[in-house]
Amino acid sequence: MKPFNVAGSLLALTCVLSGAVPAAADEGHINALDHAPIGVMGDHRHAKGEWMVSYRLMHMDMGGIQIGTDNVTPETVATTIPNRFAGAPGQPPTLRIVPTDMRMDMHMAGVMYGLSDQVTLMVMANYWSKEMEHITFQGGMGTNQLGTFRTSAAGFGDTKVAALIGITDNIHINAGLSLPTGSNTQTDDILTPMGTTATVRLPYPMQLGSGTFDLEPGITYRDQNDAFGWGAQIRGTVRLGENDEGYSYGNRASATVWVAASLVEGVALSGRLQTETIGRVDGIDPLIAGPVQTANPDFQGGESLTGLVGVNFAATGGTLKGWRLGIEGGIPIVQDLNGPQMPTDYSLTVGVQKSF
């Protein structure tokens, strides 16, 4: 069974839970269960006139190489996986540059405002930092390693704007739009199989923005009582056309379900499952070409199922009253990737929130 097929089960669970106890805590009471795990975006609405500011640091580590659900070695990629650009000047028949590790950090700052008791507006801006390690194999064949190199990119990404529109006390629509404020023309130096250094446009996973306006629809359900909280969310990203470079990233769809338990006043522990599917890149940037898997639009996307655990802290008194701290870490359970790609090893999100 593909991991994303779990989405149907999560949606059914949302419908079953929608008849449970009231979601809202007593007005003015601060409870660590009032918010979802920090990795869930757009999970709650605010009362009319209420503001919330937030900051999140999201870290992800990837490593190794996977085709579908199978692990392969860099040597296998370098000697057996065809180079899409073979035949062009300087292009060998197979992928002689192989990524081995990638680290991504995203700093996200957000503001939410309660336009009414039923509608909350949200804006989120982010700053990316990405690094990728590579092995370059010598010449056009064989397994001799010529050397290693690292590419990096940093800068602002796409900006998200959204409205959370209440349907019931427990359910709201996520109506979002992603604005193409991030760069998709980042460059860096690489080590070629011929032993030279070249400055090239970085492949698709290393760019900072999509270059397209993207719809981000979704629906969220959450509820709680004095001891437990629970919820579910389904969200998507729909690309509206191609960017100026001639391509668009694949559409995305995700579904998540979580439960949380209050340990002591102001502290709640959570567990969450998330399933996601990401499409291949549609089109091609003519300046992204090389004997490396990340330059091939077909070797992008796939499906995954991830397990996450987290903890929410809510300051209930003193000068920090109203501040929240959330921490959540995740490890993939299943990853089914399109072509040779680096699978995710783990993810970590840390965030603070303040309402006023």
Side-chain angles (χ1 to χ4, degrees):
M1 181 180 68
K2 296 290 188 180
F4 188 69
N5 290 344
V6 178
S9 299
L10 296 180
L11 179 58
L13 179 59
T14 300
C15 296
V16 170
L17 291 175
S18 62
V21 299
D26 295 337
E27 186 174 355
H29 176 67
I30 297 173
N31 190 329
L33 295 173
D34 289 346
H35 291 191
I38 195 67
V40 180
M41 305 294 175
D43 65 289
H44 66 280
R45 307 194 305 272
H46 288 271
K48 181 178 180 180
E50 184 179 40
W51 292 83
M52 190 187 82
V53 294
S54 64
Y55 164 78
R56 290 175 173 87
L57 170 61
M58 303 176 185
H59 175 81
M60 181 179 292
D61 253 37
M62 292 175 282
I65 310 167
Q66 198 168 298
I67 299 176
T69 58
D70 298 325
N71 295 318
V72 298
T73 65
E75 289 75 16
T76 298
V77 174
T79 56
T80 65
I81 304 300
N83 176 15
R84 177 188 180 116
F85 308 100
Q91 293 288 343
T94 58
L95 301 180
R96 304 296 291 169
I97 299 175
V98 182
T100 57
D101 295 280
M102 185 176 182
R103 296 170 295 279
M104 295 191 296
D105 288 310
M106 183 174 68
H107 304 267
M108 176 177 285
V111 177
M112 300 179 75
Y113 174 70
L115 185 65
S116 70
D117 288 343
Q118 296 302 315
V119 178
T120 293
L121 304 180
M122 180 171 65
V123 179
M124 290 189 173
N126 59 75
Y127 185 91
W128 284 100
S129 177
K130 301 183 179 184
E131 291 184 342
M132 187 179 291
E133 309 286 347
H134 305 74
I135 298 172
T136 298
F137 289 86
Q138 187 174 32
M141 63 182 66
T143 58
N144 290 334
Q145 294 187 15
L146 182 63
T148 62
F149 68 94
R150 174 188 299 170
T151 58
S152 61
F156 288 100
D158 293 344
T159 301
K160 317 287 186 180
V161 296
L164 311 182
I165 305 168
I167 304 301
T168 70
D169 287 344
N170 305 96
I171 300 173
H172 63 256
I173 298 294
N174 300 69
L177 179 67
S178 178
L179 310 178
T181 54
S183 168
N184 60 357
T185 58
Q186 295 287 300
T187 62
D188 206 350
D189 297 335
I190 67 167
L191 175 64
T192 74
M194 302 310 295
T196 61
T197 300
T199 300
V200 301
R201 179 168 292 180
L202 291 174
Y204 305 100
M206 289 293 293
Q207 295 299 329
L208 305 175
S210 66
T212 56
F213 289 90
D214 306 324
L215 294 179
E216 296 191 332
I219 184 169
T220 301
Y221 163 79
R222 56 177 297 271
D223 210 336
Q224 68 188 72
N225 57 30
D226 290 340
F228 298 98
W230 54 91
Q233 183 182 78
I234 296 175
R235 299 191 66 177
T237 299
V238 181
R239 314 293 180 180
L240 300 180
E242 66 180 31
N243 58 33
D244 292 342
E245 311 309 315
Y247 70 93
S248 63
Y249 287 106
N251 294 333
R252 305 171 73 111
S254 66
T256 189
V257 61
W258 69 89
V259 294
S262 179
L263 301 182
V264 297
E265 185 180 14
V267 182
L269 184 68
S270 64
R272 184 161 71 93
L273 285 175
Q274 176 172 296
T275 181
E276 184 173 43
T277 182
I278 304 173
R280 294 175 170 86
V281 170
D282 185 15
I284 192 167
D285 182 340
L287 296 183
I288 297 179
V292 61
Q293 64 205 38
T294 48
N296 189 332
D298 291 334
F299 295 160
Q300 316 292 328
E303 299 178 330
S304 63
L305 176 65
T306 302
L308 304 101
V309 295
V311 59
N312 279 359
F313 301 93
T316 58
T319 57
L320 293 179
K321 184 176 181 179
W323 283 93
R324 299 174 181 275
L325 169 66
I327 303 170
E328 186 180 48
I331 297 176
I333 300 170
V334 178
Q335 295 180 86
D336 188 354
L337 305 179
N338 299 328
Q341 289 187 55
M342 288 178 290
T344 298
D345 289 331
Y346 72 91
S347 62
L348 178 67
T349 301
V350 180
V352 293
Q353 302 167 319
K354 175 66 167 75
S355 299
F356 55 92

